[in-house]
Amino acid sequence: MRLRPANRAAFARARFVAGFLALPLLLYVVYVISPYVQAFSIALTDWRGVSANPRFVGLDNFRRLLGDGVFWTAVGHNGLLLVLLPVLTIVIALFFAFLLNAGGAKASGVPGSRFYRVVFFFPQVLAVAIVAVLFQQVFRPDAAGMLNAPLLALGLEPVGFLSDPGVAFWSILGVLVWQAVGFYTVLFSAGMASVPRELYEAARIDGAGPAPLFFRVTLPLLWDTVQVGWVYLGIAALDVFAVVWVMTAEHGGPDHSTTVMAAEIYRNAFQYFKFGYASAMGVVLFFFTVGFAALALRLSRRERVEF
């Protein structure tokens, strides 16, 4: 049976696309899907990382999680980051991006906006571990600390940014927001730059001030980009590890005041050698992440604005 010319062309295109996708899909299955499947299976055992035949324990690891106070403290910290990190980052980034793109008298942004974009983006150039080490020095409780030095010079008591259980978590949150704001400022700036200047000019002629200009023109046209940023920041809030592990005492201290799920997974796997138990935590984190992404996309869905 011979194919018609149109069918032959469609078959050739499909074969061409399949040939390009085969290798990336294979790598994705091997390095992404396969570890997830292995984690699900290991979570049902008491494997300690050395035995060839770990004992099957069923759902015992998950039952232990229900009574693990430290793990639920970590879940609470991730939940708080899940709310605060996207909100603070997006609000600040939108404010800066609006100033850079539409904040000028002629809707052309503030003077030097290109330079400011580079400055805002600079934290993204630094590795996360470098950012953590940098802020360890900023938060030092002695005269060498950037924030405590002025307090000591005034004769005031230094603030234990990383040693006070009531302050340490908020210090970590501040670092995470500082690191993320620059990237999303540039991302939102790119979205705002694609908005026709005529829309801003027309709104200004109609008497719109900065607030109506932002909420009635900029934000509706930028909503898809904000939605994507919200999902990425939420996933980042669930996967905080390097900053907590490098910056804090006891890798999540003091007194578990900054610990997160990823830190507890690492601790149980590579310090206590409870790979089965750590995998159960990883499964919980997996469902939290997928559930958040699905919920965020569902709740933020709205009619798309074309321009």
Side-chain angles (χ1 to χ4, degrees):
M1 180 178 178
R2 293 186 177 181
L3 296 176
R4 296 179 179 179
N7 292 335
R8 285 201 300 267
F11 178 75
R13 285 195 300 269
R15 187 172 59 181
F16 178 78
V17 172
F20 269 94
L21 291 179
L23 182 58
L25 284 176
L26 177 63
L27 293 175
Y28 186 81
V29 169
V30 172
Y31 292 105
V32 178
I33 302 299
S34 176
Y36 277 123
V37 174
Q38 293 179 51
F40 275 79
S41 62
I42 294 173
L44 302 177
T45 70
D46 64 350
W47 189 49
R48 297 184 62 84
V50 291
S51 59
N53 298 307
R55 184 169 60 93
F56 179 80
V57 296
L59 299 177
D60 284 354
N61 288 325
F62 296 96
R63 295 191 188 97
R64 288 176 57 195
L65 283 178
L66 295 177
D68 190 337
V70 175
F71 176 73
W72 288 108
T73 298
V75 171
H77 291 154
N78 276 115
L80 201 54
L81 289 173
L82 189 60
V83 175
L84 296 178
L85 180 59
V87 170
L88 293 175
T89 302
I90 289 176
V91 168
I92 297 172
L94 282 174
F95 174 74
F96 286 151
F98 185 69
L99 290 181
L100 293 177
N101 289 273
K106 297 183 179 180
S108 58
V110 297
S113 58
R114 292 184 180 179
F115 170 75
Y116 292 132
R117 287 192 186 97
V118 176
V119 172
F120 287 142
F121 192 77
F122 179 71
Q124 294 298 313
V125 179
L126 302 176
V128 178
I130 294 177
V131 171
V133 173
L134 174 67
F135 274 91
Q136 268 187 330
Q137 303 305 311
V138 172
F139 291 149
R140 285 184 58 165
D142 54 25
M146 183 182 297
L147 298 180
N148 277 316
L151 299 179
L152 292 171
L154 295 173
L156 302 175
E157 289 293 325
V159 177
F161 290 103
L162 297 177
S163 58
D164 186 344
V167 179
F169 175 82
W170 305 106
S171 301
I172 296 295
L173 175 61
V175 173
L176 295 173
V177 171
W178 178 87
Q179 184 189 22
V181 160
F183 174 80
Y184 289 96
T185 298
V186 174
L187 178 66
F188 296 152
S189 294
M192 292 179 189
S194 65
V195 177
R197 296 292 105 182
E198 293 81 4
L199 294 178
Y200 290 120
E201 295 292 350
R204 288 178 183 272
I205 292 173
D206 290 338
L213 196 66
F214 174 77
F215 287 105
R216 296 188 179 184
V217 178
T218 302
L219 190 57
L221 297 177
L222 201 66
W223 185 255
D224 288 343
T225 307
V226 172
Q227 180 184 9
V228 172
W230 188 281
V231 173
Y232 279 137
L233 283 166
I235 294 174
L238 289 171
D239 194 29
V240 176
F241 172 74
V243 171
V244 170
W245 196 262
V246 175
M247 282 187 62
T248 60
E250 304 168 4
H251 306 302
D255 195 24
H256 305 296
S257 61
T258 59
T259 191
V260 290
M261 283 189 282
E264 292 306 313
I265 292 171
Y266 185 92
R267 193 191 322 276
N268 279 274
F270 298 104
Q271 290 188 345
Y272 305 152
F273 298 102
K274 299 178 181 179
F275 284 88
Y277 192 53
S279 295
M281 294 182 179
V283 170
V284 174
L285 178 58
F286 169 80
F287 282 113
F288 277 165
T289 304
V290 173
F292 164 76
L295 183 63
L297 290 173
R298 182 72 180 90
L299 294 178
S300 59
R301 183 183 300 172
R302 53 173 287 178
E303 184 178 351
R304 187 171 183 178
V305 179
E306 299 287 350
F307 59 91

